[in-house]
Amino acid sequence: LAVYFAMPWRPAKNVVLLLFSLLFYAWGEPVYVWLMVASICFNWLFAFIIGKCGEGKTAPKRFWLVMALAANLLVLGFYKYQGFLAENINRAIGEEFIAELNLALPIGISFFTLQAITYVVDVYRGEVKVQKNPLYLGMYIAMFPQLVAGPIVRYADIEHEIDNRCATLEGFAQGLRLFCVGLGKKVLLANIAGQVATSLIGGDLSKASVLGAWLGIFAYTFQIYFDFSGYSDMAIGLGHMFGFTYVENFNYPYISKSITEFWRRWHISLSTFFRDYVYIPLGGNRRHQLRNMFIVWALTGLWHGASWNFVLWGLYYFVFLAIEKLFLGKFLEK
């Protein structure tokens, strides 16, 4: 903060944010920081080439978009899903056909990869201009407040603020308040609820009483909410302190009256990503709606973790959402 506000020019401030973000990431990932630098470079290059292809969704633009998506998904897939794929292929064949590399998962790779994808796709769609300065794009992808656990910030949401944001005392105070609230959620509420949950349902469940199991479930429910929403509040608050306006990521999800409403209020940036970049391109509500929902929720589960448990968790929500979409939704509205 001190170095940032000591800089008199906006370009210098942007470079300071990039350098400190990379330093922040390298502190936890001294090797994988180069993976992030590579992601910044190839996404800048692909978007630059797409921008040079002119207006309209031409064949060359589609080719370079596919190349950009393939590069991002291959990096994400290799580091996050190599072990999962190898385990399942080996199990299906009955022998070790592919070695499990047991790779350490780079911190935040799911978040910064999805952010890079929003930038490249929006350039292809003509919704944002190509960022000609790779350092500025690097600042957007590597920005430390939301790097580790979101929210997923679309480039379109902060495109104007890269060159034209205004950090005010009022905005700084608002951001500081929000940061403190998020820190309180995490330290005072989530951590304590986590200790209660672990003591009640974290060990041998055969010894848990009915009341203890329910209390543990409620404690865990509050732990994951206050932990994640607290982090989001801290990230959004830090953004305000620097003059950025990040999107809200949680909107009182536990007051929802349906599963559909819950997912409009929980991890909003992820839900809107899958809606705008997967569900609608597949056809949305216009055609093959249930198929599209199935794909989105299978991917949502897989995004959360590389195991069949997470895939089944996503499809579990697909079943509830499909029931609400087809039958229960109108009844719940009444």
Side-chain angles (χ1 to χ4, degrees):
L1 282 168
V3 175
Y4 176 83
F5 285 109
M7 294 293 123
W9 307 288
R10 178 75 59 234
K13 289 179 185 290
N14 289 342
V15 173
V16 164
L17 283 179
L18 169 62
L19 293 177
F20 275 87
S21 294
L22 292 175
L23 177 64
F24 171 80
Y25 194 74
W27 190 272
E29 295 283 25
V31 175
Y32 284 147
V33 69
W34 297 111
L35 180 65
M36 173 178 282
V37 172
S39 175
I40 291 167
C41 293
F42 73 68
N43 279 292
W44 174 82
L45 181 61
F46 280 126
F48 187 80
I49 295 171
I50 290 170
K52 286 290 186 182
C53 290
E55 297 181 2
K57 297 177 181 179
T58 60
K61 286 182 77 172
R62 282 195 296 272
F63 170 79
W64 288 110
L65 174 67
V66 169
M67 293 294 291
L69 293 176
N72 280 292
L73 295 177
L74 279 171
V75 170
L76 179 62
F78 179 72
Y79 283 98
K80 190 168 183 176
Y81 302 108
Q82 192 276 336
F84 176 65
L85 289 172
E87 178 189 356
N88 283 278
I89 291 171
N90 293 342
R91 188 177 295 170
I93 295 174
E95 60 179 273
E96 188 174 345
F97 180 69
I98 301 175
E100 292 185 46
L101 301 179
N102 297 316
L103 296 165
L105 183 65
I107 295 171
I109 188 171
S110 299
F111 289 95
F112 72 73
T113 300
L114 293 195
Q115 290 199 169
I117 287 173
T118 71
Y119 167 66
V120 174
V121 172
D122 286 351
V123 168
Y124 169 79
R125 291 173 174 173
E127 295 177 5
V128 299
K129 294 180 180 178
V130 174
Q131 176 53 257
K132 296 180 180 179
N133 189 331
L135 298 180
Y136 287 9
L137 181 67
M139 179 198 70
Y140 158 68
I141 292 176
M143 187 69 170
F144 74 91
Q146 37 74 27
L147 173 63
V148 175
I152 300 165
V153 179
R154 292 173 61 165
Y155 183 79
D157 293 333
I158 56 100
E159 179 185 21
H160 178 74
E161 294 173 343
I162 289 176
D163 288 312
N164 301 288
R165 67 187 178 279
C166 181
T168 64
L169 186 60
E170 181 182 358
F172 190 93
Q174 180 187 1
L176 190 58
R177 271 197 304 274
L178 194 54
F179 182 89
C180 291
V181 167
L183 187 61
K185 282 183 180 179
K186 167 63 181 163
V187 176
L188 303 178
L189 299 176
N191 287 1
I192 303 303
Q195 291 173 14
V196 174
T198 300
S199 67
L200 292 171
I201 59 172
D204 184 2
L205 290 177
S206 66
K207 298 178 180 178
S209 65
V210 173
L211 179 60
W214 276 107
L215 287 174
I217 289 168
F218 279 118
Y220 181 66
T221 300
F222 284 113
Q223 178 198 353
I224 58 174
Y225 169 67
F226 286 121
D227 198 302
F228 199 2
S229 72
Y231 185 97
S232 293
D233 287 346
M234 287 191 280
I236 295 167
L238 278 168
H240 278 300
M241 292 160 76
F242 292 119
F244 289 101
T245 305
Y246 293 154
V247 293
E248 186 178 32
N249 209 25
F250 289 86
N251 182 22
Y252 302 101
Y254 289 158
I255 69 167
S256 302
K257 296 179 286 295
S258 67
I259 300 294
T260 303
E261 184 183 352
F262 174 82
W263 279 105
R264 290 176 184 151
R265 293 174 173 272
W266 179 281
H267 203 349
I268 299 168
S269 61
L270 180 68
S271 300
T272 53
F273 174 87
F274 277 110
R275 181 196 67 198
D276 295 343
Y277 296 94
V278 180
Y279 184 68
I280 292 176
L282 285 172
N285 297 335
R286 300 188 309 277
R287 63 181 187 273
H288 308 301
Q289 184 182 24
L290 288 179
R291 181 207 66 181
N292 300 340
M293 289 174 62
F294 179 89
I295 293 171
V296 163
W297 285 99
L299 290 174
T300 300
L302 196 59
W303 184 85
H304 277 86
S307 77
W308 287 112
N309 251 14
F310 281 106
V311 175
L312 291 172
W313 171 84
L315 296 179
Y316 160 94
Y317 274 109
F318 158 73
V319 171
F320 277 109
L321 290 162
I323 291 170
E324 288 185 359
K325 185 74 71 175
L326 296 174
F327 312 110
L328 198 57
K330 292 181 180 179
F331 172 78
L332 290 173
E333 286 179 12
K334 292 178 181 180

